[in-house]
């Protein structure tokens, strides 16, 4: 339990050190990854780091897709 709390504290500290644009997806991913790593064994910190990276990557993909959809829906000329 003590290790899980320290992992969550580490994830929160990492999330606060990034700007909002960089941290998008990281907080949720770190929390999920930390819990998953803790359940799997003494891998909570590694799980939090991997979850942060994956969450950030997925958020960037979602933003890129939304941007492409917005560009495609605009008229093709004036």
């Amino acid at each position: 339990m003590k290790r899980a709390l320290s992992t969550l504290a580490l994830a929160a500290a990492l999330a606060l050190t990034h700007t909002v644009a960089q941290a998008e997806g990281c907080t949720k991913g770190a929390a999920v990854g930390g819990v998953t790593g803790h359940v799997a064994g003494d891998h909570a910190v590694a799980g939090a780091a991997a979850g942060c990276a994956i969450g950030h990557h997925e958020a960037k993909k979602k933003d890129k897709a939304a941007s492409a959809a917005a560009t495609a829906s605009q008229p093709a000329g004036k």
Side-chain angles (χ1 to χ4, degrees), residues 31-66:
V32 172
V35 170
T36 303
H38 175 70
V39 170
D42 290 325
H43 304 293
V45 175
C52 176
I54 292 168
H56 179 66
H57 174 71
E58 292 297 320
K60 284 183 74 173
K61 280 187 0 184
K62 183 179 175 183
D63 287 346
K64 188 175 180 179

Side-chain angles (χ1 to χ4, degrees), residues 1 7 14 17 22 24-25 39 45-46 50-51 57 62 74:
M1 181 69 176
T7 302
L14 288 173
T17 60
Q22 291 174 334
E24 186 174 345
V39 170
V45 175
H57 174 71
K62 183 179 175 183
Q74 292 179 353

Side-chain angles (χ1 to χ4, degrees), residues 8-25:
L8 290 176
L10 175 64
L14 288 173
L16 293 175
T17 60
H18 293 288
T19 63
V20 174
Q22 291 174 334
E24 186 174 345

